[in-house]
Amino acid sequence: MSDSDPPFFSPTPNPLLSYPFTSLLSTSTPSPNPSSNYDLHVSFQGKRKRTGVRRKAPIVSTLQSNPPLPPISLPPTPLPTPPISQTASPLKNPLEKPNIPSDISEEIIVINREATNEALIALTAGFPADSLTEEEIEANVISSIGGIEQVNYILIRNHILSRWRENVSNWLTKEFLASVIPDHCEVLLNSAYNFLVSHGYVNFGVAPAIKEKIPAEPTKPSIIIIGAGLAGLAAARQLMCFGFKVVVLEGRKRSGGRVYTKRMEGGSKFAAADLGGSVLTGTLGNPLGIIGKQLGSSLHKVRDKCPLYRPDGKPVNPDVDIKVENAFNRLLEKTSRLRQTMGEVAVDVSLGASLEAFRQVYGDAVTDEEMSLFNWHLANLEYANAGLLSKLSLAFWDQDDPYDMGGDHCFLPGGNGRFVQALAENVPILYEKTVHTIRYGVDGVQVIAGGQVYEGNMALCTVSLGVLKNGSIKFVPELPQRKLDGIRRLGFGLLNKVAMLFPYVFWRTDIDTFGHLSEDPSRRGEFFLFYSYATVAGGPLLIALVAGDAAHNFESMPPMDAVSTVLQILRGIFEPQGIDVPDPLQSVCTRWGTDSFSLGSYSHVAVGASGDDYDILAESVGDGRLFFAGEATTRRYPATMHGAFLSGLREAANMARHANARSLNIEVERSLSKNTQSCAALLEDLFREPDLEFGSFSINFGGKTSDPKSTAILRVALGAIKKKSNSEGTKADQQHSNKLLFHQLQSHYNQQQQLHVYTLLSQQQALELREVRGGDEMRLHYLSEKLGVKLVGRKGLGPAADAAIASIKAERGIRRPQ
């Protein structure tokens, strides 16, 4: 999203939903028009997909820049929060005056006078302030979507989130909350509290008060977890807290997986070097930020000042730096517009091919320095994705952008091994247990490591995508073909590092990064970026990154040669400045590509793949016996440490749900259609030109249009933002900073994430729905109260919907665009 985006809007799915919030957001002088919206012009700073290191190009005095935006004051409530889930954006634009009952104050509960601040906290936690997430809809947290019940549930949910974030080291009890929740809302309190606790949004982590909740003796079935990385450890702790008997099998001699902090020593110096995952990418919604707070640590912001040096060691000319960076960003914008016009062809085209094509067409005659600088930006992009640009999907390489966590990129002082150590405490982990076979069936699971067989009720596989691709583990029976295809389609790239402990710091201490250009395009990613850990590692530590093709070549480079090359680069930069570069006291070179327990670094969307493949990898198999977690199973946060952690919490909730259902002899509803990937694409295509459209409702008819009983597919767009006229809204509404931030955050989610919910109707019911008067809220009421229809996410559509979709597609002969 750029600074030129239109003003923010904050529409709501039900006029009742806006009432408790907007009433508290008003300024001291009541607006004469209560239905008017706020004319906001403050934009979020544009940020592209995890483009490696965040850097600020040097300021050139001859260039003019726009004046900075006025600061926005945040509420004092701590903001590091749990994950952002896909949000159900609002339906109705508040510009349209809602038909609010006169006795609304008697129906909507008032918990306190902090509804605005609590809505802000919910937003930063990933929940829309006045609607439900798809996850909540699928969990049936309320009896029907829309209406007073939903309003009150959301108020209670936001309150619970806010109260826990006031002190994340405490265990928040339901009894504590009950004192401020009206008695008649006890059911909603139970629903919200149980949802947030079971899904790991509150009461998670490593604080003593939370660890005390783990029962001394398990009372629930046994679970085997394969892999002691962040996903496995997060799931293990959560499941142990739920009362399950857990054992973790880890092939290495240590826990942490691809998060590895090594203590480096030499002479009297030592430092903690993060050889794997190192940067917390965003803090506002990052659960690892909460873990850090529970550990009593302050995170160190990675400063965005990143000077670049030419191959000869001289600083890059600031004018040239800005020129090339702007040209690079323009090319990325052109590729983004290109894929929108290419349709389905974009799925089979690489980002690299598109960038190169545009560079050749639009690139002016450039100097060697400009070309080297352009290649540095390409290397930085390959670092961000752990993949070659020639392998990245033009269509979906940045599909996770809408879920980017806000806030700074940070280091944890002392290294991320502190996370691992805290999460692994008192978790039963068996090391050097290399799993080679997993058997699963209706009676449970068997996991075989060496000559030992471990039996359990369920198993959670958290091994890397590289291990799954390699076929190192045999699954009996074989995994479903759709999962095998997803494993094959997704990409798994490589990033390597050279960590060096020096006798003293000889580089600048006011920066955390600096870059180096290469004359050889094929070596553009070789030691292209240096991270200084001197401020957080405990000693003078410098780490050089190796990305792209260079990362693969690095696997076979002798360590002495690698260190020698790095020192040559450093001396070329600093010795002309009169600074001596000493030999390192200790050096370590990573080899993540040949590590048999990782076989790579992290995932990306390769040519031919899509974000749906992450969902496919996350699907359980064997009727709820074998589950999967890890960074490659989360389409929202792939290739991140917090993504791995959150996937563990997600699967702990899923496993507990299946175990509870089995104990009650209840069959768990399958939330996924058999053809999720194709179903999603076809639904999107079908509703480009629906048969019937009114308000936020769209309908496609299947079968014979003359048959009133034939099946129709209804879609409701939650987040259908309507443009407001120039006459609506006043600048006076900008006076309240909390109000400004509230609408800014709400609109941030609305514009990035639009949720669609669906249901099946008969053609006759669809036509009756069209005739309902009173707007979208009355149609929602008619659906739930009159027709008894439940709206679900696309994953909740079953085989009947698949058949209807296929029928409509066949009739229309639609091609599938992306």
Side-chain angles (χ1 to χ4, degrees), residues 786-800:
K786 301 296 183 181
L787 300 182
V789 168
K790 177 182 176 182
L791 295 169
V792 297
R794 67 169 176 82
K795 296 179 183 179
L797 291 173

Side-chain angles (χ1 to χ4, degrees), residues 511-533:
I511 59 174
D512 292 312
T513 57
F514 60 91
H516 176 259
L517 313 187
S518 173
E519 293 178 319
D520 184 353
S522 66
R523 300 175 65 183
R524 66 193 180 201
E526 185 177 271
F527 317 124
F528 82 103
L529 185 65
F530 291 81
Y531 272 103
S532 167
Y533 285 82

Side-chain angles (χ1 to χ4, degrees), residues 335-477:
T335 62
S336 180
R337 290 194 293 268
L338 173 67
R339 66 182 174 188
Q340 295 176 16
T341 62
M342 291 180 68
E344 62 182 356
V345 179
V347 178
D348 299 317
V349 177
S350 73
L351 175 64
S354 175
L355 283 171
E356 179 59 21
F358 278 120
R359 187 192 68 80
Q360 292 180 6
V361 172
Y362 294 98
D364 300 327
V366 295
T367 65
D368 290 343
E369 180 181 14
E370 289 173 341
M371 198 64 231
S372 294
L373 187 52
F374 183 80
N375 281 320
W376 185 91
H377 284 286
L378 296 180
N380 195 35
L381 195 55
E382 290 180 320
Y383 156 45
N385 294 275
L388 307 179
L389 296 183
S390 60
K391 303 293 186 182
L392 291 179
S393 166
L394 170 62
F396 301 115
W397 72 278
D398 57 350
Q399 61 85 35
D400 56 317
D401 254 5
Y403 313 103
D404 178 68
M405 288 187 172
D408 299 320
H409 286 200
C410 297
F411 292 139
L412 177 70
N416 295 320
R418 296 180 60 202
F419 288 140
V420 175
Q421 182 180 4
L423 291 169
E425 181 184 358
N426 295 327
V427 174
I429 305 174
L430 303 180
Y431 294 102
E432 297 185 84
K433 300 296 181 182
T434 303
V435 172
H436 58 80
T437 304
I438 299 176
R439 301 179 182 273
Y440 61 96
V442 293
D443 296 325
V445 297
Q446 288 185 335
V447 179
I448 305 173
Q452 294 178 285
V453 179
Y454 300 86
E455 295 187 343
N457 188 268
M458 294 177 285
L460 174 62
C461 180
T462 72
V463 301
S464 76
L465 176 59
V467 171
L468 292 175
K469 281 180 169 289
N470 191 54
S472 306
I473 297 177
K474 180 181 180 181
F475 293 91
V476 182

Side-chain angles (χ1 to χ4, degrees), residues 71 107 110 165 175 212 273 287 432 437 445 526 540 558 702 751 763:
E107 300 182 56
V110 176
R165 277 154 189 75
E175 291 70 28
E212 290 174 359
E432 297 185 84
T437 304
V445 297
E526 185 177 271
Q751 295 190 18
Q763 183 179 144

Side-chain angles (χ1 to χ4, degrees), residues 7 67 89 103 217 243 263 276 285-286 439 459 478 589 595 687 789:
S89 301
D103 59 343
E217 294 293 333
R263 180 182 172 90
N286 199 321
R439 301 179 182 273
E478 182 62 275
C589 298
D595 182 327
F687 280 98
V789 168

